[in-house]
Amino acid sequence: MLKSIINNVLKWNLQARMDELDFFREFPEKAQRKILHELIDEARYTEYGVKYNFPKIESYEDFRRYVPVVQYETIEPYIARIKKGEHNVMWPGEISYFAKSSGTTNDRSKYIPVSQQALEECHFKAGRDMLGIYFSLFPESKLFHGLSLRIGGSTQFINEANGSYSGDLSAILIKNFPAWVQWRSTPSQDIALISDWEEKIEKIIDITIHEDVTSMAGVPSWLYVMAQRILAKTGAKHLHEIWPNMELYIHGGVSFTPYRHAFKKLFPGDFVHYLETYNASEGFFGIQDLKEPGSMLLMLDYGIFYELIPLDRLNDEWERHIIPVWEAIPGVNYALVISTNAGLWRYMPGDTVIFTETRPLRFYISGRTKHFINAFGEELMIENAERAIEAACVATGAEVRDFTAGPYYFGENTSGAHEWIIEFSKEPDDFKKFCTMLDTALREVNSDYDAKRFKDMTLKFPIIHRAPQHFFYNWLKSKNKLGGQNKVPKLKNDRSILDELLPLIS
């Protein structure tokens, strides 16, 4: 009885904001112009604001005229000063937390400022909306009868000289979660924040296999690793034997497409619902608000102002082609530009999106501005690769744990190719058929690739290597990149990753 009362009270409170979501679904331009006005007003007299004429800005057109579009390298000197304790540089007051982010496995890290406003008005607000949307979709849910499993990032907090902290975004969030979230979560905060990922996973498993877990959240690749260890430790056939009341998996960080089949085996039947989110170090951008997977609702009142650059204009006087998000056209591949309540102004986080509709603004992540293969004019994006991998898996009964690909350049009297390293969690019935299906699916989803493959004139049949079990895991471990938001670069437009990995396969 008490669990039902708690569940109903929390559900009612979480759904109270649905009318506000309906407003920006219907009026995206009004919602975004309001956010821009609030951001400019708040940061008007910061150093950055004065430099770029914030006091003169009265409209989006003024904002576009005065404020430059930047990448991380441009604003790194400002962020370094903020980390040292300087106030009012890009955002008013002091910023105590910095999300350490590389996006892939590069050694160089970015330090993304996370203000108190960003924590409360973006990340925590998104967490409440995420659950409110879920209860709206599934009103009979008993989510709060049990606990939510959290893993947390792998990076230990670094206490800077001025008292600020840097670490994984997930660790920052766990450290600052409201009391009611801590109460309904497992494991405890001290275990969730252990820096050694393998030690943490073993302790999480030992604790949570004896608890009533009803939801879990995290990057699919890392949760899959944990799930395999649970099954090995307990001898269970699937996770419903461990957590019979599990009903929600919230995923993000990487595409769920290659993992969907594997998770169906972990949770057989239709009892578990899957909810996609888009939570980056720079902000919480999107939540799946429909039962059907495939797109997310762009969250327009989290203190983030969005602009877009058509991806095919990035190297062609793109400043003239940048648009506010309310002018988005469905089907166009855009690079994101954001301005946030943590002091990032017209910043390019490197993600690309495609909108499926514009009222409301629903989208899916299409890739990264730097993660693609276009060595031969084929313009292969992550979305293409993941769809092709899925098709090859379905055709051959395979399950792919991870992969990476890059160009194989022209040799004397030979065409180029794409070279792949693929680690299977379940081997295909026929490896040659898998390779053929991968190539065929790539030709179906990407006309440029298909044209280059014509009679092997520019691109020949792909070169595909099978990696041994735990290959990518061990590689990440060797680079101290286990857990959190660390991920294998799926596509690279050069051979830097391939040339590092190929000698390790044998």
Side-chain angles (χ1 to χ4, degrees), residues 305-334:
F305 182 77
Y306 297 95
E307 296 173 275
L308 307 168
I309 303 172
L311 194 60
D312 60 2
R313 297 293 189 177
L314 270 183
N315 299 313
D316 179 27
E317 298 182 358
W318 53 262
E319 295 92 341
R320 296 193 295 111
H321 302 284
I322 193 168
I323 59 171
V325 73
W326 59 81
E327 294 181 6
I329 298 172
V332 176
N333 205 8
Y334 291 108

Side-chain angles (χ1 to χ4, degrees), residues 197-206 229 233:
W197 195 82
E198 292 190 310
E199 176 190 355
K200 172 166 55 183
I201 286 299
E202 291 305 316
K203 289 188 175 182
I204 289 175
I205 291 172
D206 288 341
R229 293 194 180 187
K233 188 182 187 73

Side-chain angles (χ1 to χ4, degrees), residues 105 197-198 222 225 229 401-402 423 467-483 488 500-501 504-505:
T105 57
W197 195 82
E198 292 190 310
W222 296 117
V225 169
R229 293 194 180 187
R401 179 171 288 140
D402 227 326
E423 180 185 337
Q469 290 295 298
H470 313 299
F471 175 76
F472 287 109
Y473 180 93
N474 291 331
W475 179 58
L476 290 172
K477 183 179 179 180
S478 72
K479 300 172 78 68
N480 196 28
K481 292 285 186 178
L482 289 180
V488 175
E500 180 179 350
L501 290 176
L504 303 177
I505 289 181

Side-chain angles (χ1 to χ4, degrees), residues 147-160:
L147 300 175
S148 176
L149 189 153
R150 60 186 179 184
I151 295 182
S154 60
T155 302
Q156 188 174 20
F157 275 122
I158 299 173
N159 194 339
E160 308 290 347

Side-chain angles (χ1 to χ4, degrees), residues 243-260:
W243 300 313
N245 298 315
M246 172 69 73
E247 62 169 280
L248 173 62
Y249 172 41
I250 301 166
H251 60 88
V254 299
S255 170
F256 193 54
T257 299
Y259 300 97
R260 192 173 298 278

